[in-house]
């Protein structure tokens, strides 16, 4: 029987900030892969790195921001890659940052926008991204996140 491999080599991070109008999502316009598309933060897990460590590193590298709180989103972003004939599964994390923190994007992106969930749903190209955004809004904005999903500071130091 032929099997399609399932790969888990990267993470996806939905970055949020609370402002007077509600909660906003950070989207980045890509420069290299998926050129011109609006996406959340994503990147590879490096050798010896835990997925949540990769999430924090990617947030820092791609935006120069630091998460006040980081949660496991209890969902994976998944998609089929025809060139690899593989299914990719990326654990999703939700990071909260200070509303006044300055975003500094790296070379991987041409611009950024803080937008409402409604706007984000219209901007991202893939159904899987929209599914993740709807989940994040329902579980991290419209209700208090489950405390067990919080990646605690002591976990982050070890």
């Amino acid at each position: 029987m032929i099997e399609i491999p399932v790969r888990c080599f990267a993470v996806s991070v939905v970055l949020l900030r609370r402002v007077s109008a509600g909660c906003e999502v950070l989207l980045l316009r890509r420069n290299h892969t998926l050129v011109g598309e609006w996406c959340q933060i994503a990147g590879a897990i490096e050798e010896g790195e835990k997925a949540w460590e990769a999430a924090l590193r990617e947030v820092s590298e791609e935006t120069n921001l630091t998460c006040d709180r980081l949660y496991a989103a209890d969902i994976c972003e998944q998609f089929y890659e025809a060139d690899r004939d593989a299914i990719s599964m990326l654990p999703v994390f939700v990071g909260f940052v200070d509303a006044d923190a300055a975003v500094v994007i790296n070379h991987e992106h041409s611009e950024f926008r803080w937008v409402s969930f409604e706007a984000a749903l219209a901007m991202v190209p893939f159904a899987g991204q929209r599914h993740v955004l709807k989940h994040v809004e329902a579980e991290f904005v419209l209700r208090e996140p489950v405390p067990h999903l919080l990646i605690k500071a002591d976990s982050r130091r070890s």
Side-chain angles (χ1 to χ4, degrees), residues 57-71:
R57 180 182 47 73
E58 288 293 338
V59 166
S60 177
E61 287 177 3
E62 294 188 15
T63 68
N64 202 40
L65 295 172
T66 301
C67 294
D68 296 331
R69 288 174 290 146
L70 182 72
Y71 291 88

Side-chain angles (χ1 to χ4, degrees), residues 135-150:
H135 172 82
V136 169
E137 182 180 32
E139 299 298 326
F140 293 86
V141 177
L142 299 178
R143 61 179 287 167
E144 196 63 32
V146 175
H148 301 294
L149 298 176
L150 179 65

Side-chain angles (χ1 to χ4, degrees), residues 35-68:
V35 175
E37 297 293 357
W38 289 99
C39 297
Q40 65 275 27
I41 295 166
I45 301 168
E46 294 180 353
E47 185 70 34
E49 195 173 47
K50 295 177 182 170
W52 61 264
E53 292 171 328
L56 290 172
R57 180 182 47 73
E58 288 293 338
V59 166
S60 177
E61 287 177 3
E62 294 188 15
T63 68
N64 202 40
L65 295 172
T66 301
C67 294
D68 296 331

Side-chain angles (χ1 to χ4, degrees), residues 11-16 25-30 33-34 37-43 58-59 62-63 75-79 90-95 108-109 111 113 120-121 123-133 136:
V11 297
S12 175
V13 185
V14 177
L15 213 53
L16 305 176
V25 179
L26 181 66
L27 292 182
L28 307 171
R29 182 168 259 171
R30 306 212 27 143
T33 58
L34 302 172
E37 297 293 357
W38 289 99
C39 297
Q40 65 275 27
I41 295 166
E58 288 293 338
V59 166
E62 294 188 15
T63 68
I75 193 170
C76 286
E77 187 175 339
Q78 56 191 21
F79 48 89
L90 284 64
V92 177
F93 296 88
V94 177
E108 297 174 54
H109 307 96
E111 60 182 301
R113 288 190 194 158
L121 290 170
M123 291 169 71
V124 296
F126 301 111
Q129 290 173 297
R130 290 187 290 278
H131 178 72
V132 165
L133 287 170
V136 169

